[in-house]
Amino acid sequence: MIEVKEVASCRQRREFLDFPNKLYKGNPCYAPALMMDERKIFRKDYHYYDTSEAVYYNAYKDGRMAGRISGILQRSSNEKWGQKRVRFTRFDVIDDFEVAKALLETVEAWARQKGMDTVCGPLGFSDLEREGLLIEGFDQMSTFEEQYNAPYYQTFIEKLGYEKEVDWTESQLRPTKDPETLEEMKKMSDFVMKRYKLHFGPAKSTKEFLKLYADDLFELLDKSYDQIYGTVPFTKGMKKLMLDNFNLIIDLDHVAVILDENNKAVCLGICFPGIAKPLQRSGGRLTPLTLLKVLHKIKHPDVIDLALIGVDPEYLNRGISVVFAYELTKMLQAPGIKYADTNLNLEDNYAILNLWKRFDRFENKRRRSYTKKIA
């Protein structure tokens, strides 16, 4: 017997949050979300509820927890894109089609009640959350920023009538070993910096970096991500969440901000140290021991994750991307770093994919967002 229940009690909330950790216990490729952030979704003052509403469901088979799902009515996204959609997210399920069917059909029914005509996903409240269903690269370690799922999810979702809307690819980047390419990158970077009177923004600490450049960062991201799939305008709550997380995991060795002659930021790139491994061992909980391991990874990473890259549209065709590529190359040449993980790149984002041609690139994962008409 399969039952789907809306999450209401403290016990049901714990079951919802803990389910993926139990489902993927012992899986070396699974990276849990940060539990302190996940718990916030059940608070009435959660910052996304200014522009959204959400519902959470648990599925039980013969009385045992068998799956979970969330539906999101992201009003600001619907207004921006002129759509009537509900997103599904935090979808995890045992290898049982009937359980998956019950979960997705429950979200579809909720979407109809809200007057929507389409369900899409997996997508979170914004593209700052985990998004996309893993469809290739099941033997690859997930980054802290992205989710892991088993191969049967794709079979279940497509069997229920969901069709591809977009794909993202993920890649590992290593510095090219071709000395001519390295020299060309350096020369082009120096030329662009001199030609447009640019310079790198200084900062003595993470706190000072955020104080000096946070406003410019959000302005650049709003401009450069405006037409990217799944994006929504930044709110005060979203900005605060980002800054809180940045304070925890940013290291100045892995950020770069480029300023014009008036000290206005025109390009900003932020990389995170790969912290999936220590969080994997604790189920996403920041225990004292886990925190020590995370802090060690921040100072001595072996992998860096590309988090955010913002470029002023006026500089997109001025070669500024090669400056960032050269700075990333220097980051990757630091002792102990094996590679950078790009996280999600839309498969038709040719500007960014062409940029990665300057590296030794290994495309190791692919993710997909689906859509289904329900009315």
Side-chain angles (χ1 to χ4, degrees), residues 55-72:
V55 65
Y56 303 91
Y57 297 107
N58 288 340
Y60 302 88
K61 183 174 183 180
D62 299 328
R64 296 175 63 88
M65 183 74 176
R68 68 170 193 168
I69 198 168
S70 172
I72 296 173

Side-chain angles (χ1 to χ4, degrees), residues 167-171 173 309 321 342-359 361 363 365-366:
D167 274 9
W168 296 268
T169 63
E170 296 181 56
S171 302
L173 305 179
I309 303 172
S321 60
T342 65
N343 279 312
L344 274 63
N345 299 145
L346 285 166
E347 64 178 347
D348 60 356
N349 188 344
Y350 302 114
I352 196 73
L353 295 178
N354 286 333
L355 178 62
W356 301 150
K357 291 180 179 179
R358 301 177 184 275
F359 295 83
R361 176 187 177 222
E363 184 180 303
K365 282 174 274 186
R366 179 174 288 265

